[in-house]
Amino acid sequence: MPVNRKPARTARSSKPAKPARRGVGRPRGGDIDLRARLIDAALAQFARHGIGATSLRAVAQAAGVTPAMLHYYFGDKRQMTMAVVGERVQPAIVPLRERVAAAGSDPIEV
């Protein structure tokens, strides 16, 4: 019984290779500290345009990601704002409050 075999290719094709398609889901490896980069981008946009005038799309564009990535990490704009305040603003204010308290003046409680 004869066996059908394809002849071996001897010359390479002149067509450029297609880039590999990315699968679904988060890319492997990548930016390990993306969440911190997103918070930094949000803080910069808030400082430049104000919290009310800054959209998730503007923060995503500044960070070089899609708005879906912000939704993945924070859920919505309110939660992103709370992360910015909790992780960047409050740590900057605590030493100032401590110095004011050490000087003998009580900071105004809010």
Side-chain angles (χ1 to χ4, degrees):
M1 182 171 224
V3 177
N4 290 335
R5 292 186 182 166
K6 292 183 180 181
R9 287 187 151 179
T10 55
R12 291 190 176 235
S13 173
S14 62
K15 292 182 183 178
K18 290 183 180 180
R21 290 190 59 190
R22 190 174 88 67
V24 297
R26 289 189 345 192
R28 294 184 189 161
D31 194 349
I32 294 173
D33 207 6
L34 179 59
R35 186 175 188 279
R37 196 174 92 208
L38 295 175
I39 289 175
D40 290 339
L43 181 60
Q45 291 296 308
F46 290 167
R48 188 171 295 122
H49 304 289
I51 295 172
T54 300
S55 66
L56 286 176
R57 185 173 301 279
V59 174
Q61 187 176 13
V65 299
T66 64
M69 188 66 73
L70 291 173
H71 284 285
Y72 175 81
Y73 279 98
F74 304 108
D76 59 12
K77 183 178 174 181
R78 181 182 175 281
Q79 291 174 331
M80 182 182 67
T81 303
M82 296 305 294
V84 169
V85 170
E87 296 178 30
R88 295 296 191 273
V89 177
Q90 283 182 341
I93 292 174
V94 168
L96 179 62
R97 289 183 66 127
E98 290 172 353
R99 290 181 70 186
V100 169
S105 300
D106 290 330
I108 299 171
E109 292 294 325
V110 179

